[in-house]
Amino acid sequence: MFGSPAVLEIFSDIGTVRRMLDVEAALARAEAQCGVISDAAASVIAEVCAVPAVIDLDALAHAAVAAGNLAIPFVKQLTAAVTARDAEAGRYVHWGATSQDIIDTALVLQTVDALDAIDTDLLQLGDACAALAGAHRATPMVARTWLQHALPTTFGAKAAGWLDALCRDLQRIARARQQARALQFGGAAGTLASLGDDAPAVAAHFARALKLDLPALPWHAHRDRLVEVAAALGMLTGTLGKMARDVSLLMQTEIAEAAEPAAEGRGGSSTMPHKRNPVGCAAVLSAAVRVPPLVGTMFAAMPQEHERALGGWQAEWDTLPQIITLAAGALRQMRDVIGGLQVDAARMRANLDITHGLILGEAAMLELGLRIGRMPAHRLVEAASHRAIAHGLTLRDALAQQLREDPSHAGLLDAAALDKLSDPARYAGQATSFADATVAAWRAARADQHKD
Protein backbone atom coordinates (compact mmCIF):
# COMPACT_ATOMS: atom_id res chain seq x y z
CA MET A 1 0.00 0.00 0.00
CA PHE A 2 2.72 2.44 0.95
CA GLY A 3 5.33 2.12 -1.77
CA SER A 4 6.03 2.21 -5.47
CA PRO A 5 7.49 -1.04 -6.88
CA ALA A 6 10.16 0.82 -8.86
CA VAL A 7 11.31 2.90 -5.90
CA LEU A 8 11.11 0.04 -3.43
CA GLU A 9 13.44 -1.91 -5.71
CA ILE A 10 15.88 1.02 -5.83
CA PHE A 11 16.10 1.07 -2.04
CA SER A 12 16.01 -2.70 -1.54
CA ASP A 13 19.04 -4.46 -0.07
CA ILE A 14 20.18 -5.59 -3.50
CA GLY A 15 19.46 -2.14 -4.95
CA THR A 16 21.70 -0.55 -2.33
CA VAL A 17 24.54 -3.03 -2.77
CA ARG A 18 24.35 -2.81 -6.55
CA ARG A 19 24.92 0.94 -6.43
CA MET A 20 27.75 0.61 -3.92
CA LEU A 21 29.39 -1.79 -6.35
CA ASP A 22 28.83 0.69 -9.17
CA VAL A 23 30.60 3.35 -7.11
CA GLU A 24 33.60 1.13 -6.37
CA ALA A 25 33.88 0.11 -10.03
CA ALA A 26 33.72 3.73 -11.19
CA LEU A 27 36.38 4.71 -8.63
CA ALA A 28 38.73 2.01 -9.88
CA ARG A 29 38.25 3.01 -13.52
CA ALA A 30 38.83 6.69 -12.68
CA GLU A 31 42.05 5.86 -10.85
CA ALA A 32 43.26 3.73 -13.76
CA GLN A 33 42.57 6.59 -16.18
CA CYS A 34 44.80 8.80 -14.04
CA GLY A 35 47.55 6.20 -13.66
CA VAL A 36 46.97 5.72 -9.93
CA ILE A 37 46.29 1.99 -10.38
CA SER A 38 46.82 -0.28 -13.37
CA ASP A 39 44.23 -0.84 -16.08
CA ALA A 40 44.40 -4.55 -15.33
CA ALA A 41 43.56 -4.03 -11.64
CA ALA A 42 40.68 -1.71 -12.53
CA SER A 43 39.30 -4.24 -15.03
CA VAL A 44 39.29 -7.04 -12.46
CA ILE A 45 37.63 -4.79 -9.84
CA ALA A 46 34.98 -3.68 -12.33
CA GLU A 47 34.29 -7.26 -13.44
CA VAL A 48 33.78 -8.43 -9.88
CA CYS A 49 31.58 -5.41 -9.10
CA ALA A 50 29.35 -6.28 -12.07
CA VAL A 51 28.04 -9.32 -10.16
CA PRO A 52 25.95 -8.25 -7.12
CA ALA A 53 25.91 -11.84 -5.85
CA VAL A 54 29.55 -11.38 -4.93
CA ILE A 55 28.29 -9.76 -1.72
CA ASP A 56 26.70 -12.00 0.94
CA LEU A 57 23.80 -9.82 2.09
CA ASP A 58 23.12 -11.70 5.33
CA ALA A 59 26.76 -11.59 6.38
CA LEU A 60 26.92 -7.92 5.39
CA ALA A 61 23.91 -7.07 7.54
CA HIS A 62 25.26 -8.82 10.59
CA ALA A 63 28.77 -7.40 10.25
CA ALA A 64 27.50 -3.85 9.75
CA VAL A 65 26.08 -3.78 13.28
CA ALA A 66 29.50 -4.11 14.88
CA ALA A 67 31.35 -2.14 12.20
CA GLY A 68 29.12 0.93 12.59
CA ASN A 69 28.27 1.26 8.89
CA LEU A 70 27.61 -0.85 5.82
CA ALA A 71 30.72 0.12 3.87
CA ILE A 72 33.33 -1.42 6.17
CA PRO A 73 32.18 -5.06 5.86
CA PHE A 74 31.15 -4.38 2.25
CA VAL A 75 34.72 -3.36 1.34
CA LYS A 76 36.09 -6.42 3.17
CA GLN A 77 33.86 -8.76 1.19
CA LEU A 78 34.59 -7.01 -2.08
CA THR A 79 38.32 -7.04 -1.44
CA ALA A 80 38.22 -10.75 -0.67
CA ALA A 81 36.30 -11.45 -3.89
CA VAL A 82 38.70 -9.39 -6.02
CA THR A 83 41.75 -10.90 -4.34
CA ALA A 84 40.43 -14.38 -5.09
CA ARG A 85 40.49 -13.42 -8.75
CA ASP A 86 43.71 -11.40 -8.73
CA ALA A 87 45.81 -10.75 -5.63
CA GLU A 88 47.42 -7.65 -7.14
CA ALA A 89 44.05 -6.11 -8.03
CA GLY A 90 42.79 -6.85 -4.52
CA ARG A 91 45.34 -4.38 -3.14
CA TYR A 92 43.57 -1.47 -4.89
CA VAL A 93 39.92 -1.99 -3.96
CA HIS A 94 38.50 1.20 -2.39
CA TRP A 95 41.84 2.97 -2.95
CA GLY A 96 41.90 6.46 -1.43
CA ALA A 97 38.21 6.50 -0.47
CA THR A 98 36.44 6.41 2.86
CA SER A 99 33.26 4.61 3.93
CA GLN A 100 31.13 7.74 3.71
CA ASP A 101 32.25 8.38 0.13
CA ILE A 102 30.80 5.05 -0.95
CA ILE A 103 27.64 5.21 1.16
CA ASP A 104 26.79 8.80 0.25
CA THR A 105 27.51 8.42 -3.46
CA ALA A 106 25.45 5.22 -3.63
CA LEU A 107 22.63 7.07 -1.86
CA VAL A 108 22.91 9.90 -4.39
CA LEU A 109 22.59 7.39 -7.23
CA GLN A 110 19.54 5.85 -5.57
CA THR A 111 18.00 9.24 -4.95
CA VAL A 112 18.46 10.40 -8.55
CA ASP A 113 17.02 7.15 -9.89
CA ALA A 114 14.06 7.39 -7.50
CA LEU A 115 13.37 11.01 -8.40
CA ASP A 116 13.35 10.04 -12.07
CA ALA A 117 10.69 7.41 -11.31
CA ILE A 118 8.76 9.94 -9.22
CA ASP A 119 8.87 12.40 -12.11
CA THR A 120 7.20 9.87 -14.40
CA ASP A 121 4.29 9.33 -12.01
CA LEU A 122 4.06 13.05 -11.21
CA LEU A 123 3.72 13.93 -14.88
CA GLN A 124 1.01 11.30 -15.30
CA LEU A 125 -0.85 12.61 -12.27
CA GLY A 126 -0.57 16.18 -13.51
CA ASP A 127 -1.89 15.16 -16.92
CA ALA A 128 -4.87 13.46 -15.24
CA CYS A 129 -5.59 16.62 -13.21
CA ALA A 130 -5.27 18.73 -16.36
CA ALA A 131 -7.79 16.49 -18.11
CA LEU A 132 -10.24 16.89 -15.22
CA ALA A 133 -9.72 20.64 -15.08
CA GLY A 134 -10.37 20.93 -18.81
CA ALA A 135 -13.35 18.59 -18.98
CA HIS A 136 -15.03 20.16 -15.93
CA ARG A 137 -13.91 23.76 -16.35
CA ALA A 138 -17.56 24.89 -16.23
CA THR A 139 -19.10 22.08 -14.17
CA PRO A 140 -20.76 23.92 -11.27
CA MET A 141 -20.32 22.66 -7.73
CA VAL A 142 -20.33 23.92 -4.16
CA ALA A 143 -17.21 25.63 -2.84
CA ARG A 144 -16.92 24.79 0.84
CA THR A 145 -15.22 26.85 3.53
CA TRP A 146 -14.96 25.58 7.10
CA LEU A 147 -16.66 22.45 5.65
CA GLN A 148 -19.81 24.51 4.99
CA HIS A 149 -21.42 25.65 1.74
CA ALA A 150 -19.84 28.95 0.74
CA LEU A 151 -20.33 29.97 -2.91
CA PRO A 152 -20.54 28.23 -6.28
CA THR A 153 -17.34 27.23 -8.04
CA THR A 154 -16.54 24.65 -10.71
CA PHE A 155 -15.01 21.23 -10.37
CA GLY A 156 -12.50 22.31 -12.98
CA ALA A 157 -11.29 25.04 -10.64
CA LYS A 158 -10.89 22.51 -7.82
CA ALA A 159 -8.88 20.17 -10.06
CA ALA A 160 -6.86 23.18 -11.23
CA GLY A 161 -5.93 23.90 -7.62
CA TRP A 162 -4.46 20.41 -7.35
CA LEU A 163 -2.69 20.84 -10.69
CA ASP A 164 -1.20 24.22 -9.78
CA ALA A 165 0.37 22.76 -6.64
CA LEU A 166 1.72 19.77 -8.59
CA CYS A 167 3.32 22.19 -11.06
CA ARG A 168 5.26 23.79 -8.20
CA ASP A 169 6.16 20.34 -6.84
CA LEU A 170 7.54 19.41 -10.25
CA GLN A 171 9.78 22.47 -10.21
CA ARG A 172 10.89 21.91 -6.60
CA ILE A 173 11.84 18.30 -7.30
CA ALA A 174 13.78 19.32 -10.42
CA ARG A 175 15.80 21.81 -8.34
CA ALA A 176 16.35 19.28 -5.55
CA ARG A 177 17.51 16.64 -8.02
CA GLN A 178 20.02 19.04 -9.52
CA GLN A 179 21.41 19.87 -6.09
CA ALA A 180 21.54 16.24 -5.00
CA ARG A 181 23.40 14.79 -7.96
CA ALA A 182 26.79 15.59 -6.43
CA LEU A 183 29.66 13.13 -6.07
CA GLN A 184 30.85 12.52 -2.53
CA PHE A 185 34.61 11.98 -2.57
CA GLY A 186 36.82 13.33 0.17
CA GLY A 187 38.75 10.48 1.72
CA ALA A 188 39.18 10.11 5.45
CA ALA A 189 38.87 13.78 6.45
CA GLY A 190 37.58 15.49 3.33
CA THR A 191 41.01 16.48 1.97
CA LEU A 192 41.73 13.59 -0.44
CA ALA A 193 45.29 13.53 0.91
CA SER A 194 45.32 9.82 0.06
CA LEU A 195 45.57 10.60 -3.65
CA GLY A 196 48.05 13.46 -3.49
CA ASP A 197 48.29 15.54 -6.66
CA ASP A 198 46.18 13.02 -8.59
CA ALA A 199 43.10 13.80 -6.49
CA PRO A 200 41.48 16.47 -8.75
CA ALA A 201 41.81 14.37 -11.91
CA VAL A 202 40.56 11.20 -10.22
CA ALA A 203 37.57 13.07 -8.77
CA ALA A 204 36.70 14.53 -12.18
CA HIS A 205 36.85 11.13 -13.91
CA PHE A 206 34.96 9.53 -10.99
CA ALA A 207 32.09 12.02 -11.27
CA ARG A 208 31.96 11.71 -15.04
CA ALA A 209 31.78 7.91 -14.87
CA LEU A 210 28.72 8.10 -12.58
CA LYS A 211 27.12 11.02 -14.47
CA LEU A 212 27.23 13.13 -11.33
CA ASP A 213 28.31 16.71 -10.76
CA LEU A 214 31.67 17.37 -9.15
CA PRO A 215 31.19 19.80 -6.26
CA ALA A 216 33.82 22.33 -5.25
CA LEU A 217 34.71 20.22 -2.22
CA PRO A 218 33.45 17.14 -0.34
CA TRP A 219 30.25 17.61 1.66
CA HIS A 220 30.57 14.93 4.36
CA ALA A 221 29.15 17.11 7.14
CA HIS A 222 27.06 19.49 5.01
CA ARG A 223 23.77 17.75 4.34
CA ASP A 224 21.62 20.48 2.80
CA ARG A 225 21.56 18.79 -0.62
CA LEU A 226 19.79 15.73 0.73
CA VAL A 227 17.65 17.76 3.09
CA GLU A 228 16.41 19.74 0.09
CA VAL A 229 15.24 16.47 -1.47
CA ALA A 230 13.48 15.55 1.77
CA ALA A 231 11.80 18.96 1.97
CA ALA A 232 10.65 18.88 -1.66
CA LEU A 233 9.18 15.41 -1.21
CA GLY A 234 7.60 16.47 2.07
CA MET A 235 5.77 19.23 0.23
CA LEU A 236 4.79 16.86 -2.58
CA THR A 237 3.35 14.46 -0.01
CA GLY A 238 1.43 17.37 1.54
CA THR A 239 0.00 18.26 -1.88
CA LEU A 240 -1.06 14.65 -2.38
CA GLY A 241 -2.58 14.62 1.11
CA LYS A 242 -4.63 17.71 0.26
CA MET A 243 -5.91 15.98 -2.87
CA ALA A 244 -6.72 12.81 -0.93
CA ARG A 245 -8.56 14.81 1.71
CA ASP A 246 -10.67 16.53 -0.95
CA VAL A 247 -11.51 13.33 -2.79
CA SER A 248 -12.36 11.40 0.37
CA LEU A 249 -14.67 14.20 1.53
CA LEU A 250 -16.36 14.29 -1.88
CA MET A 251 -16.89 10.51 -1.52
CA GLN A 252 -18.88 10.84 1.70
CA THR A 253 -22.33 9.31 1.32
CA GLU A 254 -24.06 12.62 2.06
CA ILE A 255 -22.04 14.42 -0.64
CA ALA A 256 -21.29 11.71 -3.25
CA GLU A 257 -19.91 14.10 -5.86
CA ALA A 258 -16.89 11.99 -6.83
CA ALA A 259 -15.54 8.51 -6.18
CA GLU A 260 -12.33 6.56 -6.50
CA PRO A 261 -12.27 4.16 -9.46
CA ALA A 262 -14.21 0.97 -8.88
CA ALA A 263 -12.50 -2.41 -9.21
CA GLU A 264 -13.03 -5.95 -7.98
CA GLY A 265 -11.91 -6.17 -4.35
CA ARG A 266 -11.20 -2.44 -4.05
CA GLY A 267 -12.54 -0.49 -1.09
CA GLY A 268 -14.81 -3.19 0.31
CA SER A 269 -15.62 -4.06 3.90
CA SER A 270 -15.31 -7.41 5.67
CA THR A 271 -18.76 -6.98 7.25
CA MET A 272 -20.66 -4.32 5.26
CA PRO A 273 -21.22 -5.38 1.64
CA HIS A 274 -22.45 -1.93 0.60
CA LYS A 275 -19.26 -0.10 1.56
CA ARG A 276 -16.99 1.56 -1.00
CA ASN A 277 -14.12 2.97 0.98
CA PRO A 278 -11.57 5.52 -0.31
CA VAL A 279 -8.64 3.14 0.11
CA GLY A 280 -6.28 5.02 -2.20
CA CYS A 281 -6.91 8.23 -0.29
CA ALA A 282 -6.32 6.39 2.99
CA ALA A 283 -2.87 5.27 1.84
CA VAL A 284 -1.99 8.79 0.69
CA LEU A 285 -3.20 10.38 3.92
CA SER A 286 -1.20 7.84 5.91
CA ALA A 287 1.94 8.93 4.06
CA ALA A 288 1.03 12.59 4.58
CA VAL A 289 0.96 11.93 8.33
CA ARG A 290 4.21 9.94 8.40
CA VAL A 291 6.46 12.02 6.15
CA PRO A 292 6.57 15.40 7.98
CA PRO A 293 8.25 14.01 11.14
CA LEU A 294 10.76 12.21 8.92
CA VAL A 295 11.53 15.46 7.11
CA GLY A 296 11.97 17.01 10.54
CA THR A 297 14.55 14.34 11.36
CA MET A 298 16.55 15.30 8.28
CA PHE A 299 16.54 18.94 9.38
CA ALA A 300 17.42 17.99 12.96
CA ALA A 301 20.42 15.98 11.69
CA MET A 302 21.97 18.93 9.86
CA PRO A 303 24.19 20.36 12.67
CA GLN A 304 26.98 17.81 12.28
CA GLU A 305 30.32 17.76 14.06
CA HIS A 306 33.42 19.13 12.35
CA GLU A 307 34.38 17.18 9.19
CA ARG A 308 32.53 13.89 9.84
CA ALA A 309 29.40 13.39 11.90
CA LEU A 310 28.61 11.29 14.95
CA GLY A 311 24.93 10.34 14.91
CA GLY A 312 23.50 12.92 12.53
CA TRP A 313 24.75 11.21 9.39
CA GLN A 314 23.66 7.83 10.70
CA ALA A 315 20.17 9.19 11.39
CA GLU A 316 19.72 9.81 7.68
CA TRP A 317 20.33 6.21 6.59
CA ASP A 318 16.79 4.93 7.16
CA THR A 319 15.10 8.31 7.15
CA LEU A 320 15.68 9.58 3.62
CA PRO A 321 14.81 6.26 1.94
CA GLN A 322 11.59 6.16 3.97
CA ILE A 323 10.68 9.68 2.85
CA ILE A 324 11.37 8.87 -0.79
CA THR A 325 9.52 5.54 -0.78
CA LEU A 326 6.50 6.94 1.09
CA ALA A 327 6.27 9.92 -1.26
CA ALA A 328 6.58 7.64 -4.29
CA GLY A 329 3.91 5.31 -2.92
CA ALA A 330 1.51 8.15 -2.20
CA LEU A 331 2.12 9.53 -5.69
CA ARG A 332 1.38 6.15 -7.29
CA GLN A 333 -1.85 5.83 -5.33
CA MET A 334 -3.02 9.34 -6.20
CA ARG A 335 -2.11 8.84 -9.86
CA ASP A 336 -4.43 5.85 -9.95
CA VAL A 337 -7.19 7.62 -8.01
CA ILE A 338 -7.27 10.74 -10.18
CA GLY A 339 -6.68 8.78 -13.39
CA GLY A 340 -9.90 6.84 -12.80
CA LEU A 341 -11.85 9.38 -10.72
CA GLN A 342 -15.60 9.13 -11.21
CA VAL A 343 -17.21 12.58 -11.24
CA ASP A 344 -20.97 12.97 -10.69
CA ALA A 345 -21.78 16.36 -12.23
CA ALA A 346 -25.52 15.88 -11.65
CA ARG A 347 -24.96 15.35 -7.93
CA MET A 348 -22.72 18.43 -7.81
CA ARG A 349 -25.52 20.47 -9.37
CA ALA A 350 -28.11 19.00 -7.01
CA ASN A 351 -25.97 19.78 -3.95
CA LEU A 352 -25.89 23.43 -5.02
CA ASP A 353 -29.63 23.52 -4.32
CA ILE A 354 -29.47 22.04 -0.81
CA THR A 355 -29.57 25.50 0.78
CA HIS A 356 -32.45 26.58 -1.47
CA GLY A 357 -30.48 29.47 -2.87
CA LEU A 358 -28.83 30.68 0.33
CA ILE A 359 -25.47 29.93 -1.27
CA LEU A 360 -26.12 32.92 -3.54
CA GLY A 361 -26.69 35.39 -0.71
CA GLU A 362 -23.47 37.26 -1.53
CA ALA A 363 -24.56 37.72 -5.14
CA ALA A 364 -27.87 39.21 -4.06
CA MET A 365 -26.19 41.42 -1.45
CA LEU A 366 -23.72 42.87 -3.95
CA GLU A 367 -26.40 43.48 -6.57
CA LEU A 368 -28.57 45.30 -4.03
CA GLY A 369 -25.49 47.05 -2.66
CA LEU A 370 -25.11 48.84 -5.97
CA ARG A 371 -28.48 50.46 -5.29
CA ILE A 372 -28.71 50.93 -1.52
CA GLY A 373 -25.16 50.43 -0.22
CA ARG A 374 -23.41 47.35 1.05
CA MET A 375 -24.44 47.31 4.71
CA PRO A 376 -28.18 47.99 4.12
CA ALA A 377 -28.09 45.31 1.42
CA HIS A 378 -26.37 42.90 3.82
CA ARG A 379 -29.10 43.44 6.43
CA LEU A 380 -31.83 42.99 3.85
CA VAL A 381 -30.44 39.71 2.49
CA GLU A 382 -29.71 38.46 6.00
CA ALA A 383 -33.33 39.05 6.96
CA ALA A 384 -34.48 37.31 3.81
CA SER A 385 -32.19 34.36 4.61
CA HIS A 386 -33.69 34.02 8.09
CA ARG A 387 -37.17 34.13 6.55
CA ALA A 388 -36.24 31.45 4.03
CA ILE A 389 -34.96 29.14 6.76
CA ALA A 390 -37.91 29.76 9.07
CA HIS A 391 -40.59 29.21 6.42
CA GLY A 392 -38.95 26.70 4.11
CA LEU A 393 -38.66 29.14 1.22
CA THR A 394 -36.00 29.65 -1.40
CA LEU A 395 -33.86 32.72 -0.96
CA ARG A 396 -35.33 34.08 -4.18
CA ASP A 397 -38.90 33.88 -2.89
CA ALA A 398 -38.00 35.15 0.58
CA LEU A 399 -36.12 38.08 -0.92
CA ALA A 400 -39.06 38.89 -3.21
CA GLN A 401 -41.33 38.97 -0.16
CA GLN A 402 -38.85 41.11 1.75
CA LEU A 403 -38.68 43.62 -1.08
CA ARG A 404 -42.48 43.77 -1.52
CA GLU A 405 -43.07 44.45 2.17
CA ASP A 406 -40.90 47.56 2.28
CA PRO A 407 -42.11 50.37 -0.02
CA SER A 408 -38.65 51.93 -0.02
CA HIS A 409 -37.33 48.78 -1.72
CA ALA A 410 -40.00 48.54 -4.38
CA GLY A 411 -38.57 48.03 -7.82
CA LEU A 412 -35.02 47.30 -6.65
CA LEU A 413 -35.02 43.84 -8.25
CA ASP A 414 -37.60 42.56 -10.73
CA ALA A 415 -38.46 38.90 -11.37
CA ALA A 416 -35.88 38.54 -14.16
CA ALA A 417 -33.13 39.92 -11.94
CA LEU A 418 -34.12 37.59 -9.11
CA ASP A 419 -34.06 34.62 -11.49
CA LYS A 420 -30.61 35.59 -12.72
CA LEU A 421 -29.32 35.91 -9.17
CA SER A 422 -30.68 32.44 -8.39
CA ASP A 423 -28.56 30.63 -10.99
CA PRO A 424 -25.37 29.21 -9.37
CA ALA A 425 -23.64 28.85 -12.73
CA ARG A 426 -23.76 32.63 -13.13
CA TYR A 427 -21.83 33.23 -9.92
CA ALA A 428 -18.72 31.11 -10.37
CA GLY A 429 -16.58 34.17 -10.94
CA GLN A 430 -13.30 33.47 -12.71
CA ALA A 431 -13.39 29.73 -12.00
CA THR A 432 -13.34 28.70 -15.67
CA SER A 433 -10.59 31.21 -16.50
CA PHE A 434 -8.52 30.00 -13.56
CA ALA A 435 -8.90 26.40 -14.73
CA ASP A 436 -7.88 27.29 -18.29
CA ALA A 437 -4.86 29.31 -17.16
CA THR A 438 -3.65 26.53 -14.87
CA VAL A 439 -3.92 23.89 -17.58
CA ALA A 440 -1.94 26.14 -19.93
CA ALA A 441 0.74 26.66 -17.26
CA TRP A 442 0.99 22.91 -16.70
CA ARG A 443 1.46 22.26 -20.40
CA ALA A 444 4.24 24.86 -20.50
CA ALA A 445 5.94 23.33 -17.44
CA ARG A 446 5.63 19.88 -18.99
CA ALA A 447 7.21 21.12 -22.20
CA ASP A 448 10.12 22.58 -20.21
CA GLN A 449 10.51 19.26 -18.38
CA HIS A 450 10.64 17.39 -21.69
CA LYS A 451 13.20 19.89 -23.00
CA ASP A 452 15.44 19.31 -19.98
Side-chain angles (χ1 to χ4, degrees):
M1 285 183 65
F2 303 113
S4 158
V7 174
L8 286 170
E9 190 282 328
I10 289 168
F11 286 102
S12 67
D13 291 346
I14 193 66
T16 298
V17 167
R18 182 181 293 118
R19 285 163 180 82
M20 292 175 72
L21 290 167
D22 290 343
V23 174
E24 291 285 4
L27 173 61
R29 287 194 295 267
E31 289 174 335
Q33 286 177 301
C34 297
V36 175
I37 68 175
S38 69
D39 289 336
S43 294
V44 173
I45 293 170
E47 287 170 11
V48 173
C49 287
V51 183
V54 72
I55 301 298
D56 181 332
L57 298 183
D58 287 339
L60 180 63
H62 284 91
V65 175
N69 70 54
L70 204 60
I72 294 172
F74 166 85
V75 170
K76 286 183 179 178
Q77 284 197 35
L78 179 58
T79 301
V82 173
T83 300
R85 283 274 305 273
D86 184 319
E88 181 66 15
R91 296 172 54 194
Y92 297 105
V93 173
H94 195 66
W95 189 264
T98 193
S99 297
Q100 189 167 354
D101 293 335
I102 307 306
I103 291 173
D104 277 353
T105 301
L107 179 58
V108 165
L109 294 177
Q110 289 176 296
T111 299
V112 171
D113 288 346
L115 291 180
D116 287 345
I118 283 171
D119 258 357
T120 299
D121 284 348
L122 179 51
L123 290 170
Q124 291 176 1
L125 174 57
D127 288 344
C129 287
L132 285 177
H136 294 281
R137 59 190 294 277
T139 300
M141 71 175 298
V142 175
R144 297 171 173 91
T145 62
W146 288 42
L147 296 176
Q148 308 296 306
H149 283 214
L151 295 173
T153 185
T154 70
F155 184 65
K158 181 180 283 289
W162 302 336
L163 180 61
D164 192 41
L166 290 173
C167 193
R168 294 189 295 277
D169 287 315
L170 187 68
Q171 294 163 354
R172 278 190 286 263
I173 290 170
R175 289 194 298 269
R177 181 199 292 104
Q178 188 56 49
Q179 287 290 334
R181 55 182 319 117
L183 177 74
Q184 177 71 284
F185 189 42
T191 63
L192 275 181
S194 54
L195 291 174
D197 293 339
D198 293 315
V202 171
H205 284 290
F206 192 11
R208 195 174 304 120
L210 294 172
K211 298 180 180 178
L212 298 177
D213 296 332
L214 181 62
L217 77 169
W219 44 278
H220 289 142
H222 295 275
R223 314 305 291 177
D224 54 288
R225 291 178 174 89
L226 299 182
V227 174
E228 186 167 356
V229 172
L233 293 178
M235 283 188 275
L236 170 63
T237 309
T239 296
L240 300 172
K242 157 63 176 167
M243 296 171 67
R245 187 74 75 197
D246 281 351
V247 171
S248 58
L249 289 172
L250 293 176
M251 277 187 71
Q252 288 185 110
T253 306
E254 295 82 358
I255 296 177
E257 294 177 354
E260 289 191 5
E264 182 65 30
R266 181 185 177 95
S269 165
S270 61
T271 58
M272 295 171 284
H274 68 282
K275 288 295 290 296
R276 185 174 172 186
N277 293 317
V279 291
C281 291
V284 174
L285 288 166
S286 172
V289 169
R290 294 170 64 188
V291 167
L294 294 170
V295 175
T297 297
M298 292 294 292
F299 276 102
M302 285 185 74
Q304 299 193 0
E305 300 81 10
H306 300 303
E307 281 65 52
R308 298 279 294 283
L310 178 67
W313 176 50
Q314 292 80 357
E316 299 173 359
W317 293 349
D318 287 335
T319 303
L320 185 60
Q322 283 186 65
I323 292 169
I324 296 173
T325 53
L326 284 169
L331 181 58
R332 177 182 64 88
Q333 291 277 4
M334 190 49 59
R335 180 203 64 190
D336 293 345
V337 167
I338 298 299
L341 192 69
Q342 297 175 356
V343 179
D344 190 337
R347 181 60 180 242
M348 289 177 177
R349 181 62 185 82
N351 283 345
L352 279 163
D353 295 330
I354 285 177
T355 61
H356 305 294
L358 293 177
I359 195 172
L360 291 163
E362 182 188 69
M365 179 195 71
L366 293 175
E367 186 66 26
L368 286 166
L370 295 173
R371 296 160 172 78
I372 60 175
R374 184 184 179 284
M375 287 311 299
H378 187 284
R379 287 191 291 270
L380 196 159
V381 175
E382 185 177 42
S385 298
H386 292 160
R387 179 189 290 244
I389 294 168
H391 299 288
L393 303 173
T394 64
L395 178 62
R396 183 207 181 282
D397 292 341
L399 189 56
Q401 290 181 11
Q402 202 79 16
L403 293 172
R404 283 198 302 270
E405 290 174 2
D406 188 339
S408 66
H409 294 154
L412 285 179
L413 296 174
D414 59 19
L418 287 168
D419 289 341
K420 182 178 177 181
L421 290 170
S422 299
D423 182 359
R426 290 178 176 271
Y427 201 66
Q430 299 298 309
T432 56
S433 297
F434 291 154
D436 293 343
T438 305
V439 171
W442 171 257
R443 288 173 179 157
R446 212 187 190 299
D448 288 342
Q449 184 83 359
H450 180 71
K451 205 181 303 177
D452 293 340

